[in-house]
Amino acid sequence: METVRHSEHTLKTALISENPRLVSQYEKLDAGERRLLNEAFKPDHDLFGPITLHSQLDWIISHPEAPQDFEQFFSDPYRKAPSPDKRSIYIQCIGSLGNTRIISEEYIKWLKGYCEAFFYGLTVKLLEPVPVSATRCSFRVNDNTQNLQIHAGHILKFLKKKKPEDAFCIVGITMIDLYPRDSWNFVFGQASLTDGAGGGGR
């Protein structure tokens, strides 16, 4: 087992930029937001807490990626940002998320609240849930787990057609396993940055 922990200096260097465009954004923060930003880097704060890696199969170890600081993210020419007429995140439930309707509604309520907090300033809207059959996606039974799985790429096509005009993006969620192609065992989710659509399974 291994623990990844970043120092206060490392976090500040990665997240605070001297880029004039970003500095102007920092200056617009209110008192509460400034306090959160200042406290976030302290070792005892849980916003950027240590990450425990349990085995060599953990994603961080098995899929090494080049680091990206906030300025690189902000300056990425392919980064999409909300516009005045596209400021809504739509959530599309596919199939049941719990054993009962009440449990499903609780999950959605929690997810909506999380999205509103994380993507502060954007509106989060819920689309009417649909059964899996409505997506007309290909499916299979996994040979190893015997779980039903639906094709992630087909989910994206379905979501793209359902995306409202004022949507910044649309996100599909389901408790059914996903797979991106026949040669893969499963995938946690799949997204298209250009289409502003993404779907995730359990």
Side-chain angles (χ1 to χ4, degrees):
M1 191 161 10
E2 179 184 350
T3 300
V4 178
R5 181 181 284 105
H6 298 295
S7 69
E8 181 176 346
H9 174 73
T10 299
L11 288 171
K12 282 188 175 180
T13 302
L15 297 169
I16 302 296
S17 170
E18 295 182 358
N19 181 315
R21 289 194 298 162
L22 283 172
V23 170
S24 68
Q25 295 296 316
Y26 301 147
E27 292 172 348
K28 297 176 183 177
L29 299 177
D30 62 32
E33 292 167 333
R34 287 177 184 272
R35 185 170 61 252
L36 174 63
L37 191 61
N38 290 330
E39 293 178 354
F41 307 115
K42 295 180 179 179
D44 58 346
H45 199 282
D46 59 1
L47 187 59
F48 297 107
I51 301 173
T52 301
L53 306 178
H54 296 277
S55 76
Q56 294 298 311
L57 297 178
D58 271 288
W59 187 271
I60 293 177
I61 297 177
S62 58
H63 296 79
E65 300 177 20
Q68 180 191 51
D69 61 28
F70 188 73
E71 183 174 345
Q72 289 172 322
F73 163 76
F74 184 81
S75 303
D76 188 334
Y78 298 105
R79 180 178 68 89
K80 284 190 171 291
S83 61
D85 59 336
K86 292 185 183 296
R87 300 191 58 82
S88 295
I89 297 174
Y90 283 85
I91 297 176
Q92 174 68 73
C93 293
I94 301 170
S96 176
L97 301 186
N99 295 329
T100 67
R101 181 178 60 81
I102 294 176
I103 293 176
S104 292
E105 290 175 351
E106 280 298 309
Y107 283 152
I108 294 302
K109 180 181 177 182
W110 175 85
L111 180 61
K112 182 176 184 289
Y114 181 88
C115 288
E116 288 172 337
F118 194 89
F119 300 102
Y120 183 72
L122 297 186
T123 301
V124 180
K125 300 178 181 180
L126 302 177
L127 294 172
E128 192 67 26
V130 298
V132 177
S133 59
T135 67
R136 299 186 178 275
C137 292
S138 296
F139 65 92
R140 72 178 185 186
V141 175
N142 186 288
D143 292 335
N144 298 316
T145 64
Q146 299 303 307
N147 288 334
L148 177 69
Q149 297 181 307
I150 50 181
H151 196 289
H154 295 174
I155 288 287
L156 288 184
K157 291 181 180 178
F158 168 76
L159 293 172
K160 184 179 177 181
K161 293 177 182 177
K162 291 272 292 184
K163 184 180 176 184
E165 285 295 321
D166 67 334
F168 171 61
C169 67
I170 181 172
V171 181
I173 56 171
T174 181
M175 290 301 287
I176 299 175
D177 280 354
L178 304 176
Y179 73 102
R181 58 177 64 95
D182 290 339
S183 59
W184 282 49
N185 189 34
F186 73 96
V187 70
F188 292 114
Q190 192 169 346
S192 168
L193 293 178
T194 53
D195 292 331
R202 64 176 180 178

